[in-house]
Amino acid sequence: MTKPAMQLTDLNKTIGKKQIIKDLSFSIYPGEVFGFLGPNGAGKTTTIRMMVGLMKITSGEVLIQGKSIRTNFKEAIKEVGAIVENPEMYPFMSGWKNLVHYARMIPGISEDRIKEVIRLVGLEKVIKEKVGRYSLGMRQRLGIAQALLHNPSILILDEPTNGLDPSGIKEIRHYIRKLAEEENVAVIVSSHLLAEMELMCDRIGIIKNGELISINEVDEESDQQEMQEVHLVAEPLENAKEIIESEQDIEVRVDKDMLIFSVNRAQIPAIIKRLATEEVDIFYVQAHRTNLEDKFMALIGENAIE
Amino acid sequence: MSNFIRLIQNENMKLYSKKATWVMIGILAIIVLAVGLILRFMDDNNLKEYGDDWREELQVENASVQNDNGDYTEASYRVNIEKNKYHLENDIKPQSYGAMQFVYDNIGLAMLISLFTIIVAAGILANEFQWGTIKLLLIRPVTRLKILASKYVAVLIYALTLLVFLVVFSWIVGALLFGINGLNPSAVMYDINGYKQVSLLPEIIEGFGYRMVNLVMMATFAFMISAVFRNTSMAIGIAIFLMLAGNTIIPFVSQYSWAKYILFANTDLSQYQSGGHPLLDGMSLSFSISVLLVYYVIFIVASWLSFTKRDIAGQ
Ligand SMILES: Nc1ncnc2c1ncn2[C@@H]1O[C@H](COP(=O)(O)OP(=O)(O)OP(=O)(O)O)[C@@H](O)[C@H]1O
Ligand SMILES: [Mg+2]
């Protein structure tokens, strides 16, 4: 396997007496989008703050392209572009001046590069306006622009789609994929929304109460043998239930007007065909990957912010 | 080094992009203008021009207020008898009022510059925390120490800019309203030993110099509060309160021996001017400078430690 772009080993953070992050270890590789998923208060932002040196590491290590953020901050941080929580900018300056401000802090960023980044995030029209007048989505884009100025090899985005409208989310997702695939950037995206993560990540690490619970691959072509949970709304419901149970010899749960059952992915088309030939009207079918969804729901289900 | 200059450029850009900064400069300009106009059109005595027969004029003035041996008339408040006597005894013709005299009279406005510098010093760090921009500022390949230093230097540059502005603008307003009366005119002034003739330029430099000591100390103090508490209003409040109240508490505690170690007992170095009387027993120029240096180092180290060693966590 290739060398990791970023490597966390046994990361711990204690504030006061409270242990917020516990023995967190994982690696992120060039060209992949890594999702950092967890409910509110799980410790995503805290981990990111340690990754970029805003918070001291209680114990453990963060290596960025092999360089320690603790002992070699300047060299390590050069590789990183980031948004931590909200993309706060100077509201009394224009978007342009905000970018110039950050560009001045890193040697070798030309005016052309600033313009290029502005074009990339689609802010050309409003870049001379004061940031105070920007919408949340525009600020989010400006935040991404400042993170990309120096062509970082690692991009860390804490809830980048927060506050964006659906088309904005789609655009950012598209853009993140492109950066990973075409420029080989390692992208870390945090979120508490699984559906959103599944659409843009290659791997998803689930964190709760400061502990990493699991890391899962998100495959585009799912394994045909993988069990999936199917949600189905059909009429008449009882007929549909009997047909499926007889066909597959499985248990079907009824939840209001919906049938819920688990089957191999490969068998879903056959079930639908059968229902159709039996004159059952199908209004809605959705198949969930049980694996990740279950894990996450189990985690969110007992969600109590401690 | 060019790196550091770019950081200072950034601080200046942020500073001058804010309206408040320009409002401060505007207030300073308006006050200078107002003082000039009041002096020019309301108070004619200061501006009195003496002719070739100035000796007789001064004698007439003195006589007019003191005709019945020692019995002052209502005109007395406008005439400085002792000063006139000095002119006569030493055969020095009173100079007419001009741009440089106006600059000299505006030295007191350095107090206002201190106030504005405190406001800027209090905000320059804490604002970044309150805006949340500190996070994006500190994830660049620049050490925290350099960022801290660039902010501190930007504050000093701002103070210097206001000072230069005050001097130059006062001179221009003075020149327009009263005319130019040489670049280094002499004047007769009072100090503890009585009246004497002095050159104005050194007096102006000295006057501003003494006030700069106070300014730098208070600005550094505000900067430290801002670094430690990460809160702008708190830093402004504490620093301005101490600046205004600091001097007034000295008399109340003067009986204690530790009073002379209080910062405010030492910030006014003009107390040691020739023949001057130190504020408290046991104080001397070198004592005050040592005390100031110790405070200064404490302020700087406290700012440095709390800015570079502490976590940047949520509010
Ligand atoms: N400065 C601090 N002092 C004490 N506790 C803190 C501090 N910062 C964060 N915490 C605690 O650490 C835990 C993790 O917080 P963090 O902000 O990392 O969560 P998160 O996963 O980013 O959540 P969200 O999805 O809400 O952004 C929370 O329980 C929080 O209360
Ligand atoms: Mg968070």
Side-chain angles (χ1 to χ4, degrees):
Chain A
M1 209 160 189
T2 47
K3 232 173 104 251
M6 187 168 219
Q7 198 173 7
L8 280 65
T9 29
D10 296 329
L11 206 60
N12 280 284
K13 178 72 188 177
T14 311
I15 298 182
K17 285 204 181 94
K18 195 171 162 198
Q19 193 169 8
I20 296 175
I21 301 295
K22 296 160 200 153
D23 290 324
L24 209 62
S25 300
F26 61 88
S27 298
I28 301 125
Y29 296 90
E32 81 165 337
V33 180
F34 183 88
F36 200 35
L37 186 66
N40 293 127
K44 303 180 294 290
T45 301
T46 306
T47 306
I48 288 174
R49 280 177 194 268
M50 284 194 281
M51 285 174 170
V52 296
L54 289 175
M55 272 188 168
K56 250 189 242 83
I57 295 168
T58 305
S59 74
E61 184 64 285
V62 172
L63 292 180
I64 298 173
Q65 304 290 13
K67 289 161 258 184
S68 164
I69 193 79
R70 293 198 297 178
T71 56
N72 198 359
F73 174 78
K74 267 166 79 171
E75 290 306 312
I77 204 73
K78 266 184 195 162
E79 305 285 344
V80 179
I83 302 181
V84 184
E85 281 186 323
N86 309 311
E88 287 109 341
M89 299 278 173
Y90 302 100
F92 48 84
M93 295 202 298
S94 66
W96 174 260
K97 276 191 175 176
N98 269 282
L99 290 180
V100 166
H101 173 266
Y102 293 116
R104 280 200 192 122
M105 300 184 76
I106 305 169
I109 298 177
S110 65
E111 197 160 300
D112 284 341
R113 175 60 190 167
I114 301 179
K115 285 180 186 153
E116 192 183 330
V117 173
I118 293 168
R119 223 175 309 118
L120 224 60
V121 296
L123 281 178
E124 300 101 316
K125 288 218 178 69
V126 292
I127 201 65
K128 297 283 179 198
E129 270 181 46
K130 286 215 170 82
V131 170
R133 294 199 209 112
Y134 281 20
S135 70
L136 185 53
M138 281 147 84
R139 279 206 294 270
Q140 199 70 260
R141 283 159 200 254
L142 191 63
I144 292 177
Q146 66 73 30
L148 291 174
L149 274 176
H150 53 299
N151 282 310
S153 64
I154 298 164
L155 189 61
I156 301 175
L157 305 173
D158 195 3
E159 315 227 9
T161 53
N162 191 7
L164 291 186
D165 56 22
S167 77
I169 293 178
K170 200 171 156 198
E171 212 175 305
I172 296 288
R173 186 198 311 150
H174 199 74
Y175 186 62
I176 288 174
R177 294 285 345 156
K178 203 171 111 182
L179 274 174
E181 279 158 26
E182 290 174 17
E183 320 227 342
N184 213 28
V185 174
V187 188
I188 301 158
V189 186
S190 89
S191 172
H192 49 260
L193 300 172
L194 174 64
E196 187 185 300
M197 292 273 99
E198 277 190 294
L199 287 172
M200 68 174 135
C201 300
D202 299 302
R203 286 193 302 149
I204 296 178
I206 299 179
I207 180 178
K208 190 194 179 189
N209 292 335
E211 282 176 292
L212 195 67
I213 293 185
S214 69
I215 296 183
N216 298 76
E217 306 261 345
V218 181
D219 311 296
E220 277 311 308
E221 284 113 78
S222 291
D223 184 355
Q224 291 291 309
Q225 292 309 309
E226 191 190 31
M227 291 297 280
Q228 297 213 322
E229 186 179 85
V230 180
H231 291 189
L232 185 137
V233 180
E235 195 109 339
L237 203 63
E238 272 310 308
N239 281 6
K241 183 169 184 271
E242 275 164 32
I243 294 163
I244 298 166
E245 281 176 340
S246 65
E247 168 97 11
Q248 294 293 329
D249 193 23
I250 51 170
E251 198 188 321
V252 177
R253 272 194 298 132
V254 182
D255 183 9
K256 286 183 195 143
D257 64 339
M258 188 187 281
L259 299 178
I260 301 171
F261 55 95
S262 295
V263 287
N264 275 345
R265 181 183 154 86
Q267 285 160 336
I268 298 172
I271 294 174
I272 310 264
K273 256 182 223 153
R274 177 78 201 282
L275 289 173
T277 54
E278 300 271 342
E279 304 284 312
V280 174
D281 297 331
I282 300 167
F283 296 96
Y284 171 93
V285 188
Q286 192 182 27
H288 297 267
R289 214 171 265 114
T290 45
N291 196 355
L292 194 53
E293 180 88 10
D294 280 355
K295 267 187 191 144
F296 190 61
M297 284 323 285
L299 190 159
I300 291 284
E302 54 182 280
N303 180 26
I305 295 175
E306 289 160 35
Chain B
M1 193 61 207
S2 69
N3 187 350
F4 190 63
I5 288 171
R6 283 206 298 268
L7 292 181
I8 294 174
Q9 245 181 319
N10 269 348
E11 293 309 321
N12 281 337
M13 177 170 78
K14 286 183 269 188
L15 198 55
Y16 289 104
S17 296
K18 286 173 67 187
K19 272 200 204 84
T21 312
W22 293 100
V23 169
M24 292 181 211
I25 295 175
I27 289 175
L28 202 57
I30 288 170
I31 290 182
V32 169
L33 211 56
V35 169
L37 289 173
I38 289 171
L39 215 57
R40 175 73 179 76
F41 296 109
M42 312 262 180
D43 174 342
D44 46 8
N45 190 61
N46 257 327
L47 310 180
K48 184 165 181 182
E49 299 266 354
Y50 294 90
D52 284 336
D53 53 349
W54 57 272
R55 289 181 195 81
E56 283 141 51
E57 289 182 52
L58 288 181
Q59 273 158 355
V60 170
E61 266 183 24
N62 274 4
S64 74
V65 297
Q66 228 183 351
N67 43 9
D68 302 328
N69 34 344
D71 204 14
Y72 293 101
T73 69
E74 88 279 2
S76 60
Y77 72 95
R78 289 203 277 139
V79 175
N80 196 324
I81 302 153
E82 296 301 319
K83 192 176 172 206
N84 286 353
K85 277 185 186 157
Y86 181 88
H87 278 288
L88 290 168
E89 280 160 20
N90 296 280
D91 201 30
I92 303 165
K93 182 185 170 187
Q95 293 269 349
S96 54
Y97 199 82
M100 288 306 271
Q101 278 87 352
F102 187 59
V103 173
Y104 179 84
D105 284 345
N106 280 340
I107 289 178
L109 289 180
M111 174 82 167
L112 208 58
I113 296 183
S114 292
L115 199 72
F116 293 158
T117 307
I118 284 174
I119 292 172
V120 167
I124 201 159
L125 249 177
N127 279 343
E128 302 270 4
F129 285 93
Q130 285 179 319
W131 295 328
T133 46
I134 190 73
K135 293 176 292 188
L136 291 184
L137 194 67
L138 294 186
I139 54 167
R140 314 286 149 180
V142 181
T143 58
R144 289 193 192 180
L145 176 60
K146 250 190 185 168
I147 289 179
L148 186 79
S150 71
K151 285 182 175 293
Y152 185 67
V153 170
V155 169
L156 296 184
I157 292 176
Y158 182 67
L160 201 67
T161 308
L162 286 185
L163 190 72
V164 169
F165 175 77
L166 174 63
V167 170
V168 171
F169 190 69
S170 294
W171 192 86
I172 292 172
V173 169
L176 290 176
L177 292 176
F178 314 108
I180 301 164
N181 178 24
L183 285 181
N184 186 14
S186 62
V188 168
M189 285 188 204
Y190 184 81
D191 76 8
I192 200 96
N193 304 316
Y195 282 99
K196 65 173 183 203
Q197 190 183 28
V198 293
S199 294
L200 262 183
L201 197 57
E203 288 293 314
I204 290 172
I205 293 170
E206 203 182 300
F208 278 117
Y210 283 131
R211 280 162 176 84
M212 282 306 103
V213 173
N214 189 29
L215 182 154
V216 168
M217 291 309 295
M218 290 317 297
T220 310
F221 176 74
F223 190 75
M224 175 198 69
I225 298 285
S226 153
V228 172
F229 294 102
R230 300 178 172 182
N231 182 314
T232 313
S233 1
M234 189 184 207
I236 293 179
I238 295 179
I240 290 181
F241 172 76
L242 285 181
M243 183 175 88
L244 299 178
N247 294 316
T248 45
I249 62 160
I250 300 294
F252 296 103
V253 294
S254 58
Q255 72 268 32
Y256 302 109
S257 60
W258 47 259
K260 60 176 182 285
Y261 297 107
I262 295 175
L263 173 64
F264 306 101
N266 295 283
T267 45
D268 181 14
L269 293 180
S270 66
Q271 59 183 306
Y272 304 111
Q273 260 173 318
S274 59
H277 227 301
L279 209 53
L280 301 167
D281 290 339
M283 287 173 62
S284 67
L285 182 60
S286 52
F287 171 83
S288 282
I289 289 177
S290 314
V291 170
L292 290 178
L293 278 178
V294 169
Y295 273 105
Y296 187 80
V297 169
I298 290 173
F299 293 166
I300 294 284
V301 169
S303 317
W304 172 65
L305 285 180
S306 64
F307 186 64
T308 56
K309 304 287 179 210
R310 277 162 62 198
D311 278 351
I312 311 297
Q315 295 302 325

